[in-house]
Amino acid sequence: MTNCRQSSELSSQSLDRKLSLRQWLALKLHTAACPFCKRFGEHIAMLKNFCEKFGECGHEKQITNGLTPEARKRMKESLRGTAGK
Amino acid sequence: MDGTDQDPSGAAATIDPERWVDEHGDALYRFALIRLRDPERAEDIVQETFAAALHARAHFAGRSTERTWLIGILKRKIIDQYRKRWREVPATELAAGAEEDLAVQSMFDERGHWLQQYGPNSWSNPSSAIQEEDFFRTLHGCMGALPGRLADAFTLREIDSIPSDEVCQILGITPTNLWAMLHRARVRLRMCMEKNWFGREGSKP
C-alpha cells in the first residue's frame, strides 16, 4: 500500500513528469481515500498556477516599487561611461 | 547623447540608454528580484543587462518591443547566473540536502502518514486569492523562506515554467535529484502559504 509520504511524492512528480500507469493508479487509489493527500495534490497544483501568474508581468508590483533613485543614478552614470567608449 | 548620431544606420541615434533606465529599469528590476530574491544582485544584473544591450544595440531589429528585447537579455543573464552558481556549490551546501529532506520526513509518522499538525487543511477562497492585494507579496515571502537551493530549482520550474530536463541541464543535476528538491520546495511552500494566507479565515476542517 502507498502511504502518505509516497503519495505526496508521486503527486509532486506528476507535475514534472509522466507517472507510470502503476504509479498513477497508486496515487489515484490513495488520494480517493485520504483527504490530506487529496488536498496536498490540489494545493501544489494551485501553487504552480499562482507562480506562473507571478512570473508574468504586472503582479510583481506588489513586491517592490522598483529601483531606488540612487540605483537609477548609479546605472545612468555607468551607462554614460560605457556609451562613451 | 553625444557621439551616437554618427552611426550611419541611424539606429543608435534613437536609442538612449538613460531613457532605458527610466522606462524599463523598474520592470527589469522587479523581474530580476522575483528570480534572484536579493535586491543587490537584482540591481547588478539589471545594470549588466543595460550594458550588454548597449553593446548589442545594433542587433535590436525592432521585431519585438524594446521591453521584450531587454527582458530577453535579462532572462539569459539570470539563467547564466544560476548555471554558474550551481557549478560552484560548496560542499557544505551539498550536505544541506540531507537536512532539507529530514525537515520533510519529520511531517510524517513512522508508517509514513501525515502527522495531524502537518496534514493539509482546506484553503479559504483560493480562486480569488490572486486578485487580492498582498497575495504575491506573501508568496514571494514564502519563496524567500525556502533554502536557496530549493528556491532556485522551484523558481526555474514553476515561475518560468522551464521543462524539467532543461532545469536539470542548467543546474547540472539528475532528474531524480530535481524531483526530490521540487517536492521538498512544494511541501514547505504549501505549509507556509497555508499558515500565512489560506488559513487566515479559520478554515480548519
PDB file of all heavy atoms in Angstrom, chain B residues 176-195:
ATOM      1  N   THR B 176      16.132  12.705 -10.899  1.00  0.00           N
ATOM      2  CA  THR B 176      15.722  12.216  -9.569  1.00  0.00           C
ATOM      3  C   THR B 176      16.009  13.269  -8.503  1.00  0.00           C
ATOM      4  O   THR B 176      15.204  13.514  -7.610  1.00  0.00           O
ATOM      5  CB  THR B 176      16.492  10.921  -9.224  1.00  0.00           C
ATOM      6  OG1 THR B 176      16.471  10.080 -10.365  1.00  0.00           O
ATOM      7  CG2 THR B 176      15.862  10.217  -8.044  1.00  0.00           C
ATOM      8  N   ASN B 177      17.174  13.854  -8.633  1.00  0.00           N
ATOM      9  CA  ASN B 177      17.587  14.907  -7.720  1.00  0.00           C
ATOM     10  C   ASN B 177      16.646  16.110  -7.801  1.00  0.00           C
ATOM     11  O   ASN B 177      16.204  16.653  -6.788  1.00  0.00           O
ATOM     12  CB  ASN B 177      18.999  15.338  -8.157  1.00  0.00           C
ATOM     13  CG  ASN B 177      19.826  15.790  -6.998  1.00  0.00           C
ATOM     14  OD1 ASN B 177      19.294  16.383  -6.073  1.00  0.00           O
ATOM     15  ND2 ASN B 177      21.118  15.505  -7.047  1.00  0.00           N
ATOM     16  N   LEU B 178      16.336  16.495  -9.023  1.00  0.00           N
ATOM     17  CA  LEU B 178      15.444  17.645  -9.228  1.00  0.00           C
ATOM     18  C   LEU B 178      14.056  17.369  -8.646  1.00  0.00           C
ATOM     19  O   LEU B 178      13.492  18.204  -7.941  1.00  0.00           O
ATOM     20  CB  LEU B 178      15.331  17.969 -10.723  1.00  0.00           C
ATOM     21  CG  LEU B 178      14.330  19.096 -11.048  1.00  0.00           C
ATOM     22  CD1 LEU B 178      14.830  20.442 -10.526  1.00  0.00           C
ATOM     23  CD2 LEU B 178      14.036  19.186 -12.533  1.00  0.00           C
ATOM     24  N   TRP B 179      13.505  16.189  -8.919  1.00  0.00           N
ATOM     25  CA  TRP B 179      12.163  15.865  -8.420  1.00  0.00           C
ATOM     26  C   TRP B 179      12.133  15.925  -6.901  1.00  0.00           C
ATOM     27  O   TRP B 179      11.180  16.425  -6.305  1.00  0.00           O
ATOM     28  CB  TRP B 179      11.731  14.475  -8.898  1.00  0.00           C
ATOM     29  CG  TRP B 179      11.602  14.372 -10.385  1.00  0.00           C
ATOM     30  CD1 TRP B 179      11.276  15.400 -11.234  1.00  0.00           C
ATOM     31  CD2 TRP B 179      11.807  13.220 -11.203  1.00  0.00           C
ATOM     32  NE1 TRP B 179      11.266  14.942 -12.532  1.00  0.00           N
ATOM     33  CE2 TRP B 179      11.583  13.614 -12.548  1.00  0.00           C
ATOM     34  CE3 TRP B 179      12.159  11.889 -10.953  1.00  0.00           C
ATOM     35  CZ2 TRP B 179      11.697  12.721 -13.625  1.00  0.00           C
ATOM     36  CZ3 TRP B 179      12.256  10.998 -12.004  1.00  0.00           C
ATOM     37  CH2 TRP B 179      12.039  11.419 -13.339  1.00  0.00           C
ATOM     38  N   ALA B 180      13.174  15.402  -6.294  1.00  0.00           N
ATOM     39  CA  ALA B 180      13.225  15.407  -4.821  1.00  0.00           C
ATOM     40  C   ALA B 180      13.257  16.845  -4.299  1.00  0.00           C
ATOM     41  O   ALA B 180      12.549  17.201  -3.351  1.00  0.00           O
ATOM     42  CB  ALA B 180      14.452  14.639  -4.336  1.00  0.00           C
ATOM     43  N   MET B 181      14.052  17.693  -4.949  1.00  0.00           N
ATOM     44  CA  MET B 181      14.153  19.079  -4.496  1.00  0.00           C
ATOM     45  C   MET B 181      12.844  19.833  -4.704  1.00  0.00           C
ATOM     46  O   MET B 181      12.412  20.600  -3.844  1.00  0.00           O
ATOM     47  CB  MET B 181      15.283  19.789  -5.251  1.00  0.00           C
ATOM     48  CG  MET B 181      16.642  19.230  -4.875  1.00  0.00           C
ATOM     49  SD  MET B 181      17.954  20.092  -5.734  1.00  0.00           S
ATOM     50  CE  MET B 181      17.727  21.693  -5.104  1.00  0.00           C
ATOM     51  N   LEU B 182      12.230  19.606  -5.852  1.00  0.00           N
ATOM     52  CA  LEU B 182      10.961  20.297  -6.117  1.00  0.00           C
ATOM     53  C   LEU B 182       9.905  19.860  -5.115  1.00  0.00           C
ATOM     54  O   LEU B 182       9.098  20.666  -4.641  1.00  0.00           O
ATOM     55  CB  LEU B 182      10.488  20.007  -7.547  1.00  0.00           C
ATOM     56  CG  LEU B 182      11.299  20.662  -8.661  1.00  0.00           C
ATOM     57  CD1 LEU B 182      10.866  20.140 -10.028  1.00  0.00           C
ATOM     58  CD2 LEU B 182      11.142  22.182  -8.617  1.00  0.00           C
ATOM     59  N   HIS B 183       9.926  18.579  -4.778  1.00  0.00           N
ATOM     60  CA  HIS B 183       8.955  18.081  -3.802  1.00  0.00           C
ATOM     61  C   HIS B 183       9.149  18.766  -2.445  1.00  0.00           C
ATOM     62  O   HIS B 183       8.200  19.250  -1.830  1.00  0.00           O
ATOM     63  CB  HIS B 183       9.075  16.565  -3.667  1.00  0.00           C
ATOM     64  CG  HIS B 183       8.158  16.001  -2.634  1.00  0.00           C
ATOM     65  ND1 HIS B 183       6.796  16.183  -2.688  1.00  0.00           N
ATOM     66  CD2 HIS B 183       8.394  15.285  -1.511  1.00  0.00           C
ATOM     67  CE1 HIS B 183       6.237  15.599  -1.637  1.00  0.00           C
ATOM     68  NE2 HIS B 183       7.189  15.046  -0.902  1.00  0.00           N
ATOM     69  N   ARG B 184      10.397  18.836  -2.006  1.00  0.00           N
ATOM     70  CA  ARG B 184      10.684  19.496  -0.717  1.00  0.00           C
ATOM     71  C   ARG B 184      10.260  20.960  -0.745  1.00  0.00           C
ATOM     72  O   ARG B 184       9.717  21.492   0.220  1.00  0.00           O
ATOM     73  CB  ARG B 184      12.170  19.413  -0.402  1.00  0.00           C
ATOM     74  CG  ARG B 184      12.626  18.001  -0.073  1.00  0.00           C
ATOM     75  CD  ARG B 184      14.138  17.930  -0.042  1.00  0.00           C
ATOM     76  NE  ARG B 184      14.569  16.552  -0.172  1.00  0.00           N
ATOM     77  CZ  ARG B 184      15.788  16.189  -0.585  1.00  0.00           C
ATOM     78  NH1 ARG B 184      16.662  17.125  -0.924  1.00  0.00           N
ATOM     79  NH2 ARG B 184      16.107  14.925  -0.662  1.00  0.00           N
ATOM     80  N   ALA B 185      10.525  21.595  -1.879  1.00  0.00           N
ATOM     81  CA  ALA B 185      10.143  23.005  -2.007  1.00  0.00           C
ATOM     82  C   ALA B 185       8.628  23.154  -1.917  1.00  0.00           C
ATOM     83  O   ALA B 185       8.120  24.039  -1.232  1.00  0.00           O
ATOM     84  CB  ALA B 185      10.654  23.569  -3.333  1.00  0.00           C
ATOM     85  N   ARG B 186       7.908  22.280  -2.600  1.00  0.00           N
ATOM     86  CA  ARG B 186       6.441  22.381  -2.615  1.00  0.00           C
ATOM     87  C   ARG B 186       5.854  22.124  -1.234  1.00  0.00           C
ATOM     88  O   ARG B 186       4.920  22.806  -0.818  1.00  0.00           O
ATOM     89  CB  ARG B 186       5.856  21.399  -3.639  1.00  0.00           C
ATOM     90  CG  ARG B 186       6.133  21.811  -5.066  1.00  0.00           C
ATOM     91  CD  ARG B 186       5.515  20.834  -6.061  1.00  0.00           C
ATOM     92  NE  ARG B 186       5.835  21.243  -7.423  1.00  0.00           N
ATOM     93  CZ  ARG B 186       6.452  20.463  -8.307  1.00  0.00           C
ATOM     94  NH1 ARG B 186       6.792  19.233  -7.991  1.00  0.00           N
ATOM     95  NH2 ARG B 186       6.722  20.922  -9.522  1.00  0.00           N
ATOM     96  N   VAL B 187       6.388  21.116  -0.541  1.00  0.00           N
ATOM     97  CA  VAL B 187       5.891  20.808   0.804  1.00  0.00           C
ATOM     98  C   VAL B 187       6.035  22.034   1.703  1.00  0.00           C
ATOM     99  O   VAL B 187       5.106  22.437   2.403  1.00  0.00           O
ATOM    100  CB  VAL B 187       6.652  19.605   1.409  1.00  0.00           C
ATOM    101  CG1 VAL B 187       6.347  19.461   2.893  1.00  0.00           C
ATOM    102  CG2 VAL B 187       6.284  18.318   0.683  1.00  0.00           C
ATOM    103  N   ARG B 188       7.198  22.661   1.651  1.00  0.00           N
ATOM    104  CA  ARG B 188       7.455  23.818   2.519  1.00  0.00           C
ATOM    105  C   ARG B 188       6.629  25.032   2.116  1.00  0.00           C
ATOM    106  O   ARG B 188       6.081  25.741   2.953  1.00  0.00           O
ATOM    107  CB  ARG B 188       8.934  24.204   2.447  1.00  0.00           C
ATOM    108  CG  ARG B 188       9.830  23.268   3.225  1.00  0.00           C
ATOM    109  CD  ARG B 188      11.260  23.579   2.846  1.00  0.00           C
ATOM    110  NE  ARG B 188      12.197  22.713   3.534  1.00  0.00           N
ATOM    111  CZ  ARG B 188      13.034  23.119   4.478  1.00  0.00           C
ATOM    112  NH1 ARG B 188      13.048  24.383   4.861  1.00  0.00           N
ATOM    113  NH2 ARG B 188      13.868  22.277   5.038  1.00  0.00           N
ATOM    114  N   LEU B 189       6.579  25.272   0.823  1.00  0.00           N
ATOM    115  CA  LEU B 189       5.847  26.433   0.344  1.00  0.00           C
ATOM    116  C   LEU B 189       4.353  26.285   0.640  1.00  0.00           C
ATOM    117  O   LEU B 189       3.679  27.242   1.034  1.00  0.00           O
ATOM    118  CB  LEU B 189       6.065  26.586  -1.167  1.00  0.00           C
ATOM    119  CG  LEU B 189       5.691  27.934  -1.745  1.00  0.00           C
ATOM    120  CD1 LEU B 189       6.664  29.005  -1.275  1.00  0.00           C
ATOM    121  CD2 LEU B 189       5.692  27.889  -3.268  1.00  0.00           C
ATOM    122  N   ARG B 190       3.854  25.083   0.469  1.00  0.00           N
ATOM    123  CA  ARG B 190       2.432  24.820   0.758  1.00  0.00           C
ATOM    124  C   ARG B 190       2.125  25.126   2.228  1.00  0.00           C
ATOM    125  O   ARG B 190       1.152  25.807   2.549  1.00  0.00           O
ATOM    126  CB  ARG B 190       2.099  23.351   0.449  1.00  0.00           C
ATOM    127  CG  ARG B 190       0.628  23.052   0.285  1.00  0.00           C
ATOM    128  CD  ARG B 190       0.307  21.618   0.650  1.00  0.00           C
ATOM    129  NE  ARG B 190       0.508  21.414   2.079  1.00  0.00           N
ATOM    130  CZ  ARG B 190      -0.342  21.819   3.023  1.00  0.00           C
ATOM    131  NH1 ARG B 190      -1.464  22.424   2.703  1.00  0.00           N
ATOM    132  NH2 ARG B 190      -0.058  21.622   4.302  1.00  0.00           N
ATOM    133  N   MET B 191       2.992  24.641   3.092  1.00  0.00           N
ATOM    134  CA  MET B 191       2.831  24.877   4.533  1.00  0.00           C
ATOM    135  C   MET B 191       2.837  26.367   4.848  1.00  0.00           C
ATOM    136  O   MET B 191       2.022  26.877   5.608  1.00  0.00           O
ATOM    137  CB  MET B 191       4.007  24.256   5.303  1.00  0.00           C
ATOM    138  CG  MET B 191       3.880  22.791   5.549  1.00  0.00           C
ATOM    139  SD  MET B 191       3.057  22.498   7.118  1.00  0.00           S
ATOM    140  CE  MET B 191       4.314  23.090   8.235  1.00  0.00           C
ATOM    141  N   CYS B 192       3.813  27.055   4.263  1.00  0.00           N
ATOM    142  CA  CYS B 192       3.993  28.487   4.529  1.00  0.00           C
ATOM    143  C   CYS B 192       2.783  29.271   4.053  1.00  0.00           C
ATOM    144  O   CYS B 192       2.294  30.166   4.745  1.00  0.00           O
ATOM    145  CB  CYS B 192       5.269  28.968   3.835  1.00  0.00           C
ATOM    146  SG  CYS B 192       5.639  30.711   4.113  1.00  0.00           S
ATOM    147  N   MET B 193       2.276  28.944   2.869  1.00  0.00           N
ATOM    148  CA  MET B 193       1.118  29.668   2.343  1.00  0.00           C
ATOM    149  C   MET B 193      -0.136  29.352   3.142  1.00  0.00           C
ATOM    150  O   MET B 193      -1.000  30.203   3.321  1.00  0.00           O
ATOM    151  CB  MET B 193       0.902  29.334   0.857  1.00  0.00           C
ATOM    152  CG  MET B 193       1.930  29.936  -0.086  1.00  0.00           C
ATOM    153  SD  MET B 193       2.070  31.732   0.050  1.00  0.00           S
ATOM    154  CE  MET B 193       0.562  32.273  -0.783  1.00  0.00           C
ATOM    155  N   GLU B 194      -0.225  28.134   3.618  1.00  0.00           N
ATOM    156  CA  GLU B 194      -1.394  27.777   4.427  1.00  0.00           C
ATOM    157  C   GLU B 194      -1.387  28.562   5.732  1.00  0.00           C
ATOM    158  O   GLU B 194      -2.402  29.068   6.192  1.00  0.00           O
ATOM    159  CB  GLU B 194      -1.391  26.268   4.709  1.00  0.00           C
ATOM    160  CG  GLU B 194      -2.578  25.798   5.521  1.00  0.00           C
ATOM    161  CD  GLU B 194      -2.778  24.289   5.445  1.00  0.00           C
ATOM    162  OE1 GLU B 194      -2.894  23.760   4.326  1.00  0.00           O
ATOM    163  OE2 GLU B 194      -2.789  23.645   6.494  1.00  0.00           O
ATOM    164  N   LYS B 195      -0.216  28.653   6.289  1.00  0.00           N
ATOM    165  CA  LYS B 195      -0.061  29.346   7.563  1.00  0.00           C
ATOM    166  C   LYS B 195      -0.280  30.851   7.416  1.00  0.00           C
ATOM    167  O   LYS B 195      -0.921  31.491   8.244  1.00  0.00           O
ATOM    168  CB  LYS B 195       1.369  29.089   8.062  1.00  0.00           C
ATOM    169  CG  LYS B 195       1.541  29.258   9.546  1.00  0.00           C
ATOM    170  CD  LYS B 195       2.882  28.667   9.953  1.00  0.00           C
ATOM    171  CE  LYS B 195       3.450  29.414  11.127  1.00  0.00           C
ATOM    172  NZ  LYS B 195       4.899  29.249  11.220  1.00  0.00           N
TER     173      LYS B 195
END
